[in-house]
Amino acid sequence: MSNNRSKRKTLVCDRCGNTRLIHDYARGEIICPVCGNVISERAIDRGPEWRAFTPEEREKRSRIGMPLDRITPESLSTEIDWKSKDAAGRELSLKRKIEMLRLRKWHLRTRIQSSIERNLAQAAIELERLSSHLGLPKVIKDRALEIYRIALETGLVRGRSIESVMAAAIYAACRERRLPRTLDEISRYTRAGRKDVARCYRLLIRETPVKVPLPNAIDFVPRIGETLKLSTRTIREAINILREAQKLGITAGKDPAGLAAAAIYIASLRSGEVRTQKEVAQAAQVTEVTVRNRYKELAKKLKIPLPLRQG
DNA sequence: AAGACGAAAGTGGTTGA
DNA sequence: TCAACAACTTTCGTCTT
C-alpha cells in the first residue's frame, strides 16, 4: 500500500526490513508489527521489553519497583525540647524564651509540611516514571500532580500505595483533559494492578472535588486515527458518524473505544482508506468482534447501506 | 490465503435485593 | 453478600473475496 502522506519520514525496521511500522503514540514508540522490534527514536525511557498478559506474569517479569527508602522521618528530624534552659543549664531570658517558642512552632510546622513534601517528592518520581512510559504531555503531568496533592491532603493516600493513587490521579487528569488513556494502559506499568488503581480512582472522584467529564467516544477517535495513519478527512467523518449516533442516543453504556473503532472502520471504508477490522481493533485495543458488533449496529441505526465497498 | 461473519461460551464489573 | 445482568472477549467454524 503506497503511502500518500509522504511527509512522514519513512522508517525501516532494522531487524527485518519491514516498512509498515506502527506508531504507538501511547508509548511514544515506533513498533514493527512483523518482528516486534522497537525502533523508537527516543532512546531513553522505553517501555519494558517484555509483555505480560496476566498480573502473575507481570509480577514475575517486572524487575523494577519503588526505590528503597531507608531514610525514615525519624532518622532525619530533630527536636527542640521544651526546657527553658540553655545547653549549660542556665535560665534563658524572657526575650530568648519567646524566640524559642516561635522557633519550636515553626519547626513543628516544617515537619508536617515536609512530610507532605516528602510524599509529593516520592509521588513526583512515580509520576515521571509512569508518564514517560505513557508519553504524557506536560499539562497532564502538572494536573496529575495537582490532583495527587489534593488526594494527599484529603488523606486518601494513607494506607494506600503512592503508586496506585498516582496512577489514579493520572487517569483522572487524562480524562479531565479529554486525552483518553485506558485504565489498562496506565495500570500496566504499576505494581498495584488495574483493580487497585480503579478503586483509588473511584475514591478520588467520590472523596475530592475533582470532577471528570463522562467518557466520550469522539475523544478516542483522533488517537486511533493517528495510529492507523488515516487522513484528517476520514477522522472527521468518523467523528460525524459518532455525533449522529449520539443524537440518536444509541451510544449509552457502550465501550467508547469500541464505538470509536466502529466509526473509524466505517469511515475508512467510505473514504477508500480501507483498514481491516483487525487493524482497527488493534489500534483501539478492543476485539474484532466488538468492532463488528458496533459497526453493524451503527450502520443499521444510521441507515448506512451495507455492504460498504471502497470508492 | 486473508478477511469478514456470527454463534456460543467465558470473563469481569455493575446493580439491586 | 449474592445473583442477575449487560457489555465485552475468546474461540472457532463457515462464508466471501
Side-chain angles (χ1 to χ4, degrees):
Chain A
M1 198 178 295
S2 68
N3 195 348
N4 50 0
R5 296 162 72 232
S6 48
K7 257 194 229 163
R8 196 183 292 276
K9 197 165 63 173
T10 8
L11 286 169
V12 182
C13 174
D14 53 17
R15 197 189 293 166
C16 70
N18 176 34
T19 51
R20 285 197 68 189
L21 303 175
I22 293 172
H23 205 133
D24 186 345
Y25 286 88
R27 305 209 314 205
E29 291 170 345
I30 297 164
I31 292 164
C32 174
V34 176
C35 65
N37 192 17
V38 178
I39 305 120
S40 175
E41 289 176 304
R42 294 191 328 183
I44 47 160
D45 271 325
R46 302 179 165 191
E49 78 284 7
W50 45 267
R51 293 185 71 191
F53 299 96
T54 65
E56 290 77 37
E57 265 183 82
R58 208 176 298 136
E59 191 68 35
K60 246 186 274 168
R61 294 186 191 179
S62 179
R63 299 178 301 275
I64 51 172
M66 306 259 299
L68 294 174
D69 186 8
R70 286 209 200 74
I71 305 168
T72 62
E74 285 74 24
S75 72
L76 280 176
S77 64
T78 55
E79 197 76 58
I80 300 174
D81 76 27
W82 289 92
K83 279 179 289 181
S84 49
K85 304 260 174 86
D86 71 6
R90 278 179 304 231
E91 193 71 24
L92 295 167
S93 71
L94 186 64
K95 202 175 155 194
R96 189 90 183 105
K97 273 186 201 163
I98 290 167
E99 194 183 330
M100 289 301 287
L101 217 68
R102 226 186 52 238
L103 251 174
R104 265 195 292 266
K105 200 162 124 202
W106 177 84
H107 190 241
L108 217 65
R109 242 184 233 160
T110 315
R111 262 177 58 200
I112 294 162
Q113 193 62 31
S114 74
S115 110
I116 289 179
E117 292 303 326
R118 243 199 317 276
N119 191 310
L120 273 173
Q122 195 65 45
I125 294 169
E126 191 59 31
L127 172 64
E128 209 46 58
R129 186 180 74 76
L130 280 170
S131 52
S132 68
H133 276 304
L134 297 162
L136 298 176
K138 192 168 180 305
V139 268
I140 299 283
K141 287 202 277 183
D142 289 348
R143 182 57 184 154
L145 195 60
E146 233 174 278
I147 293 175
Y148 182 88
R149 172 173 239 133
I150 293 169
L152 186 61
E153 281 161 4
T154 320
L156 277 185
V157 185
R158 179 156 296 190
R160 271 170 267 278
S161 70
I162 291 176
E163 197 183 24
S164 50
V165 177
M166 184 45 99
I170 290 173
Y171 181 59
C174 285
R175 283 186 53 173
E176 201 180 64
R177 297 292 148 102
R178 298 182 166 275
L179 190 101
R181 290 283 181 276
T182 63
L183 209 50
D184 281 305
E185 283 175 86
I186 294 172
S187 54
R188 183 172 300 152
Y189 304 105
T190 71
R191 185 167 285 271
R194 188 206 140 93
K195 230 177 155 180
D196 227 15
V197 178
R199 202 181 308 133
C200 288
Y201 171 71
R202 245 173 299 161
L203 221 68
L204 190 68
I205 296 305
R206 190 171 327 144
E207 306 292 329
T208 71
V210 177
K211 285 287 165 279
V212 164
L214 287 171
N216 186 349
I218 291 172
D219 299 335
F220 287 78
V221 172
R223 201 176 135 214
I224 301 170
E226 292 257 301
T227 325
L228 293 169
K229 302 195 194 330
L230 288 169
S231 68
T232 45
R233 197 173 68 82
T234 309
I235 292 175
R236 226 177 305 127
E237 162 121 22
I239 291 174
N240 283 335
I241 291 171
L242 285 175
R243 288 233 176 85
E244 287 297 310
Q246 283 173 353
K247 261 188 236 163
L248 292 175
I250 55 176
T251 56
K254 305 288 162 55
D255 178 7
L259 280 164
I264 281 191
Y265 179 64
I266 295 172
S268 90
L269 292 180
R270 274 187 167 178
S271 69
E273 297 182 281
V274 185
R275 299 293 180 273
T276 65
Q277 291 179 359
K278 194 174 168 188
E279 287 171 319
V280 178
Q282 250 164 23
Q285 305 187 58
V286 295
T287 61
E288 288 173 65
V289 183
T290 302
V291 176
R292 207 143 57 217
N293 290 339
R294 285 296 86 75
Y295 116 78
K296 286 280 172 191
E297 209 171 283
L298 285 180
K300 195 173 166 191
K301 299 274 173 62
L302 296 176
K303 300 196 168 64
I304 296 168
L306 290 176
L308 281 165
R309 289 290 104 81
Q310 53 264 54

